[in-house]
């Protein structure tokens, strides 16, 4: 039956490549995007997912902090930013960030994820101070902060080479970087949607230096706006080439565009089918990435749960205070899940939950068990934290 379905979809040759571990090319990617039967694409992606990660579904206890919403880049797909003169603008002083971290001091957070807008008024020392504040307050958590776009801004305000900026940040306590800001590597999309922001080549240049400095990062792709299938496949191949070169990417995160309260609010949001296809395509094209994430806060928890069978091996985390796609009342999506909720989603999907740190090391309880096994008895702690 399955053989007939794959045969009817015309993807037998891709199945063979996947089984033999052969790299997929541009035309394979386009065909997978255009294939009518999403379940066949998901089946293929699941083969790769299980080759790499078996039945494991990673999750993390994390906290997000958006240190400023002021930004001068004016990206048309962004509902988070306000311009420098807007009275709704904010900057979190280091002491406020410290207090936010302290709020969760009884909760074993493993990663603090910190990003913000490109605020031209912030001095270089501010960025170092906020990393130090998090590091001081939470020495055991990994500090993941600053996209390639923000790092380019830091280089500008520091007036020194990026290599030196990264050394300063590491000394302050930075452990790794997130992947946002890549959007879609297409000059056309860059020109139409985010022309004030670092261009594609600039993003790659910064990522190269970051990886060379010993810091690892994620990579992303924002989909569901004006991009074409061909542009998305090229994006994935460019990211794959950089991973061949540096080996510095930890995880790929397909980011679903949320049009509400953006200049593109006339566009429909991505559907569940599209979200699953993007995750599956990432898993199939990025043969040199260990992990693909279903970021539940963007694709919704139910879709993230199903995505565990469509290529994703990571459902992200408990996520306290995520504002980037939810600014200005943009959506009614949930912004935090308890660990019990995450464990339930994963168990119902019949995958094996493993709590991880920022580098995908399993978190082990004091009894030597993976933390997911120990955590089932401590749901009261999670419920109060989230
Ligand atoms: S996506 Fe980032 S750079 Fe673009 S406007 Fe929003 S905050 Fe600024």
């Amino acid at each position: 039956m399955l053989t007939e379905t794959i045969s009817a979809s015309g993807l037998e040759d891709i199945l063979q490549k996947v089984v033999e571990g052969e790299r997929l090319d541009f035309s394979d990617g386009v065909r997978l995007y255009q294939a009518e039967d999403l379940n066949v694409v998901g089946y293929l992606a699941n083969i790769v997912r299980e080759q790499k990660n078996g039945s494991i579904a990673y999750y993390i206890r994390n906290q997000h902090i958006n240190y400023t919403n002021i930004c001068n880049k004016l990206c048309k797909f962004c509902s988070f930013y306000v311009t420098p003169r807007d009275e709704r603008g904010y900057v979190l002083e280091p002491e406020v960030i410290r207090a936010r971290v302290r709020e969760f001091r009884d909760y074993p957070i493993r990663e603090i994820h910190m990003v913000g807008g490109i605020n031209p008024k912030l001095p270089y020392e501010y960025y170092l101070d906020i990393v130090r504040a998090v590091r001081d307050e939470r020495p055991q958590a990994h500090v993941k902060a600053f996209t390639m776009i923000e790092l380019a801004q830091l280089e500008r305000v520091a007036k020194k080479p990026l290599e030196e900026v990264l050394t300063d940040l590491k000394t302050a306590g930075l452990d790794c970087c997130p992947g946002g800001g890549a959007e879609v590597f297409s000059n056309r999309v860059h020109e139409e949607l985010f022309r004030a922001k670092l261009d594609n080549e600039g993003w790659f240049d910064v990522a190269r230096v970051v990886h060379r400095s010993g810091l690892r990062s994620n990579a992303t792709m924002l989909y569901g706006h004006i991009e074409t299938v061909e542009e998305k496949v090229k994006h994935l191949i460019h990211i794959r080439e950089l991973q061949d070169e540096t080996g510095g990417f930890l995880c790929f995160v397909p980011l679903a565009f949320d049009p509400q309260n953006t200049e593109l609010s006339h566009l429909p949001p991505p559907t569940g089918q599209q979200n699953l296809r993007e995750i599956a395509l990432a898993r199939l094209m990025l043969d040199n990435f260990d992990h693909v994430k279903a970021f539940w806060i963007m694709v919704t928890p139910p879709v993230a749960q199903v995505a565990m069978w469509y290529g994703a091996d990571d459902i992200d985390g408990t996520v306290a205070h995520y504002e980037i796609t939810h600014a200005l009342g943009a959506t009614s999506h949930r912004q935090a899940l308890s660990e019990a909720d995450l464990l339930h989603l994963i168990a119902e999907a019949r995958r094996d939950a493993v709590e991880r740190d920022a580098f995908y090391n399993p978190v082990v309880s004091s009894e030597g068990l993976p933390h997911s096994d120990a955590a089932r008895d401590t749901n009261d702690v999670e419920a109060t934290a989230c």
Side-chain angles (χ1 to χ4, degrees):
M1 184 66 173
L2 183 60
T3 318
E4 282 169 27
T5 309
I6 293 173
S7 171
S9 70
L11 299 175
E12 287 160 302
D13 57 326
I14 296 184
L15 170 64
Q16 192 165 351
K17 282 186 173 183
V18 166
V19 169
E20 291 173 3
E22 197 181 321
R23 178 162 277 191
L24 303 187
D25 61 22
F26 177 79
S27 70
D28 295 330
V30 172
R31 283 169 62 209
L32 287 162
Y33 266 115
Q34 292 170 343
E36 279 185 19
D37 193 335
L38 173 63
N39 288 328
V40 171
V41 179
Y43 172 78
L44 297 173
N46 191 53
I47 293 173
V48 183
R49 185 249 195 256
E50 293 191 353
Q51 283 168 349
K52 289 187 179 286
N53 292 291
S55 195
I56 290 175
Y58 289 101
Y59 72 98
I60 189 165
R61 291 194 258 201
N62 55 353
Q63 179 180 6
H64 281 241
I65 296 173
N66 301 127
Y67 57 86
T68 182
N69 65 344
I70 297 170
C71 186
N72 62 8
K73 298 301 176 197
L74 316 177
C75 303
K76 289 186 181 169
F77 50 76
C78 182
S79 65
F80 170 70
Y81 81 94
V82 300
T83 56
R85 290 175 182 213
D86 193 310
E87 61 185 20
R88 293 167 300 173
Y90 72 81
V91 174
L92 302 184
E93 293 305 323
E95 281 315 304
V96 175
I97 288 178
R98 188 184 279 275
R100 287 212 177 171
V101 173
R102 202 178 302 136
E103 264 179 57
F104 293 93
R105 67 170 169 252
D106 297 327
Y107 184 64
I109 280 174
R110 309 290 171 188
E111 175 189 288
I112 294 175
H113 181 130
M114 198 158 54
V115 291
I118 305 303
N119 183 338
K121 293 212 173 114
L122 292 178
Y124 182 53
E125 201 55 35
Y126 169 83
Y127 298 96
L128 300 177
D129 285 345
I130 61 175
V131 172
R132 285 189 202 108
V134 174
R135 167 61 63 220
D136 284 356
E137 198 60 41
R138 204 68 199 245
Q140 273 84 39
H142 288 124
V143 183
K144 180 195 273 184
F146 310 131
T147 64
M148 306 310 158
I149 313 301
E150 290 162 277
L151 290 171
Q153 173 70 4
L154 265 74
E155 181 184 21
R156 204 169 300 125
V157 293
K159 297 189 175 60
K160 56 183 176 180
L162 184 57
E163 287 82 352
E164 290 179 32
V165 168
L166 294 168
T167 301
D168 292 346
L169 288 169
K170 283 194 280 185
T171 305
L174 184 71
D175 292 301
C176 54
C177 300
E183 322 315 353
V184 174
F185 297 132
S186 148
N187 291 335
R188 180 188 72 88
V189 177
H190 180 259
E191 187 59 26
E192 278 198 45
L193 298 190
F194 55 104
R195 62 190 304 184
K197 194 151 85 172
L198 199 65
D199 65 9
N200 309 328
E201 280 315 310
W203 192 95
F204 276 103
D205 289 345
V206 175
R208 251 185 216 104
V209 178
V210 167
H211 294 174
R212 240 187 272 132
S213 80
L215 285 167
R216 301 193 71 188
S217 76
N218 287 343
T220 61
M221 178 175 75
L222 184 74
Y223 63 85
H225 41 88
I226 64 164
E227 83 285 1
T228 64
V229 159
E230 289 75 11
E231 285 164 342
K232 285 189 284 201
V233 178
K234 282 185 190 158
H235 179 100
L236 294 171
I237 290 175
H238 285 325
I239 289 278
R240 186 170 76 187
E241 287 168 354
L242 187 57
Q243 179 75 325
D244 280 343
E245 185 186 324
T246 69
F249 291 117
L250 285 159
C251 174
F252 185 79
V253 194
L255 297 176
F257 170 54
D258 182 348
Q260 290 185 72
N261 291 320
T262 72
E263 288 186 50
L264 305 174
S265 59
H266 56 285
L267 294 177
T271 61
Q273 287 263 326
Q274 183 175 7
N275 289 327
L276 290 174
R277 190 179 294 265
E278 299 295 345
I279 289 165
L281 257 290
R283 184 58 289 167
L284 284 161
M285 296 302 294
L286 299 174
D287 56 357
N288 52 4
F289 273 64
D290 290 336
H291 305 288
V292 171
K293 184 182 293 187
F295 191 24
W296 67 259
I297 205 160
M298 282 186 160
V299 300
T300 75
V303 171
Q305 183 186 38
V306 177
M308 294 295 114
W309 289 89
Y310 281 73
D313 61 282
D314 181 357
I315 199 165
D316 202 64
T318 45
V319 188
H321 296 304
Y322 187 72
E323 289 156 25
I324 292 289
T325 59
H326 303 289
L328 312 175
T331 144
S332 57
H333 295 175
R334 294 183 66 174
Q335 297 192 27
L337 283 177
S338 71
E339 186 180 32
D341 290 338
L342 279 176
L343 289 174
H344 175 70
L345 284 175
I346 294 168
E348 198 183 50
R350 301 200 174 279
R351 291 301 197 187
D352 301 324
V354 171
E355 186 187 354
R356 65 171 176 88
D357 67 13
F359 296 97
Y360 288 86
N361 300 305
V363 173
V364 176
S365 73
S366 51
E367 294 81 36
L369 295 168
H371 195 273
S372 55
D373 292 337
R376 292 197 173 90
D377 296 323
T378 58
N379 293 340
D380 51 333
V381 175
E382 324 317 337
T384 51
C386 301

